[in-house]
Amino acid sequence: MQNDCYGGGRYCAVEPSNENIKGREIVLEDLREKCLYKKAYQTDDTRHLWWDYMSFVHQNCYNVINEDCSRRAHERLGLDYAETQRCVKS
């Protein structure tokens, strides 16, 4: 259960079709995406950032979008990974 949950077991996910990714990674990626969406949609000029991120991770990370993949996407797109992590933790 620890590999499939986050927040003390309050948020869980399971991906039975892909044993390479744990539910905890799914939840954390969903939170990163939500934070990036919220930031990107603050102005019309930055909306593309969320779409650029989504394109990168789905084209380059295949079926395992985890912390390492997200960090690479942030670096490639000039996004602040620490800022996204602060948002996720809040």
Side-chain angles (χ1 to χ4, degrees):
M1 183 162 153
Q2 182 178 353
N3 288 332
D4 291 324
C5 297
Y6 180 75
R10 291 181 20 206
Y11 308 102
C12 300
V14 178
E15 180 53 66
S17 66
N18 185 349
E19 63 187 42
N20 293 323
I21 189 163
K22 303 298 180 213
R24 178 180 170 84
E25 292 174 336
I26 294 169
V27 172
L28 288 171
E29 178 58 22
D30 287 348
L31 290 170
R32 285 190 293 268
E33 290 174 12
K34 180 180 179 186
C35 290
L36 287 168
Y37 181 89
K38 185 175 159 183
K39 179 182 176 168
Y41 274 76
Q42 288 177 348
T43 69
D44 288 341
D45 294 340
T46 57
R47 288 183 181 184
H48 69 90
L49 292 174
W50 187 79
W51 292 104
D52 293 346
Y53 176 84
M54 295 302 289
S55 293
F56 182 92
V57 295
H58 286 281
Q59 289 175 4
N60 295 288
C61 304
Y62 311 104
N63 292 330
V64 182
I65 303 173
N66 58 21
E67 187 175 356
D68 291 335
C69 169
S70 179
R71 190 182 306 271
R72 284 193 312 272
H74 276 74
E75 289 172 5
R76 173 76 183 253
L77 299 171
L79 299 169
D80 185 345
Y81 188 77
E83 181 181 345
T84 300
Q85 287 300 95
R86 283 190 297 274
C87 174
V88 166
K89 289 180 181 182
S90 70

